[in-house]
Amino acid sequence: MAIQAILDQINSKSLKTDLPIMDIGDTINVHCRIVEGNKERIQIFQGVLISRSGRGIEEMIGVRRVVEETGVERIFPINSPKIAVIEVVRRGNVRRAKLYYLRARSGKSRRIIDRRRGLKHVAGIKLAGQD
Amino acid sequence: MAQMLMGTKLGMTRVFNDQGISLPCTVIAMAPNVVTQIRTPEKDGYAAIQVAFDDIKPRNSTQSLIAHDHKAGTTPKRHHREFRVSEAELKNYTLGQTLTVAAFEAIAYVDVVGTSKGKGFQGTMKRHHFKGMFASHGTERKHRSPGSIGSLCSNRGFGGGLKKGKRMSGHMGDVRRTCRSLDVVRIDAENNLLLVKGTVPGSVRKMVMVSNAARLYKSKARKQEALTKGK
């Protein structure tokens, strides 16, 4: 077997198949599993998806949120078992693949336009207002 | 010495363990190794097992090696290596026996030997981690130079030459290197795969030798001791 095929086979067990379709600029909820002693609980990190890098098992997402005018960014390996669920809250209309410019923005200019229309290219997602 | 097996480095990936921690792993394909010779104290003066690995076309081997492999009842192999065993262990091995990755089933740490990637002729900054010279403050055209290499008589006694082993520019890499005490992350006996934590010397598709860790690093020795006590 070719080398890449063997590596893919090893990775296939830990690859998630239930990830939502998410684009840069979307607001997402990342449900993180947090272990405290013997107990496990879920903490939700909500923010804007500002970057995506890597392929397959290496894929990472950057999520930015603003807490009391302080920016907080976390980078998650999306295939990690420590991430229970990722859900898309709102779709944003942006033109960049990396939204690092948001770091320099504040106030109204930090907002991202909601993409209610023009969703036609995303398969399996209903348009707003449709049943 | 413990059993040593040869394998092929396939590359690296990441594995999430039970706690969800991401481990950087090197994948080693351990195709079955064949015992091609048993060295006994009576005949050879020491006890050891010779194993062979990796099929090659007969035309790429030599007559004598083909015959040597044929004696063990196997096809021509590329690599032949020996590992020492105690005299008592000799009876566990037979000529032509295949050794698989399952031998590492109960082992937590392994040593991996390989040939590091060749870097060619390199300067002292890359080869020996010298600091080089200032970027400014009047330094001209010698930012990466090693600086003074000492006086001529610095090897004590007779002068005329530099101290032996003085670190200078030269060929880097392409030498045998051992990675000690690597964690065994996973063993896939079905596909003959071994996953170890961390990096392994050499490039992809190159042969590496894997054996039971000869001497653990202190922290890992302590960890293993705690584990065995817990049991």
Side-chain angles (χ1 to χ4, degrees), chain A residues 50 64 73 99-105:
Chain A
I50 61 162
R64 177 180 174 86
E73 281 181 22
L99 304 184
Y100 298 140
Y101 69 84
L102 288 180
R103 292 169 181 166
R105 299 284 180 90

Side-chain angles (χ1 to χ4, degrees), chain A residues 48-107:
Chain A
V48 180
L49 180 60
I50 61 162
S51 68
R52 251 181 124 150
S53 64
R55 291 277 176 86
I57 192 106
E58 303 280 338
E59 187 160 0
M60 313 282 270
I61 53 170
V63 185
R64 177 180 174 86
R65 68 176 296 194
V66 177
V67 188
E68 291 172 359
E69 288 306 300
T70 308
V72 179
E73 281 181 22
R74 286 187 69 178
I75 298 169
F76 299 99
I78 60 174
N79 288 298
S80 167
K82 279 192 170 181
I83 292 179
V85 185
I86 298 177
E87 52 189 23
V88 179
V89 181
R90 198 180 312 126
R91 301 211 165 252
N93 193 8
V94 291
R95 295 182 171 203
R96 304 269 176 276
K98 306 273 190 267
L99 304 184
Y100 298 140
Y101 69 84
L102 288 180
R103 292 169 181 166
R105 299 284 180 90
S106 63

Side-chain angles (χ1 to χ4, degrees), chain A residues 1-4 6-7 9-11 13-15 35 57-60 77-82, chain B residues 9-22 27 29 186 188 191 193 195 204-205:
Chain A
M1 215 193 312
I3 287 181
Q4 195 54 50
I6 296 173
L7 295 179
Q9 197 186 3
I10 294 168
N11 295 341
K13 286 168 201 159
S14 21
L15 278 176
V35 179
I57 192 106
E58 303 280 338
E59 187 160 0
M60 313 282 270
I78 60 174
N79 288 298
S80 167
K82 279 192 170 181
Chain B
K9 176 174 165 178
L10 291 189
M12 292 193 71
T13 182
R14 72 167 77 206
V15 164
F16 296 103
N17 70 0
D18 302 339
Q19 286 95 45
I21 294 166
S22 164
V27 183
R186 190 187 293 167
D188 185 349
N191 299 314
L193 296 175
L195 269 69
V204 168
R205 292 191 192 86

Side-chain angles (χ1 to χ4, degrees), chain B residues 83-99:
Chain B
F83 60 91
R84 293 284 189 105
V85 290
S86 67
E87 280 181 50
E89 285 173 315
L90 275 180
K91 63 176 185 298
N92 297 341
Y93 299 92
T94 52
L95 208 59
Q97 181 189 356
T98 52
L99 308 173

Side-chain angles (χ1 to χ4, degrees), chain B residues 123-136 139 142-147 167:
Chain B
T124 46
M125 282 181 74
K126 188 181 172 89
R127 195 174 179 221
H128 301 299
H129 304 299
F130 282 15
K131 285 185 176 174
M133 302 245 173
F134 285 135
S136 63
T139 311
K142 45 173 69 176
H143 305 283
R144 297 182 65 88
S145 73
R167 293 180 296 168

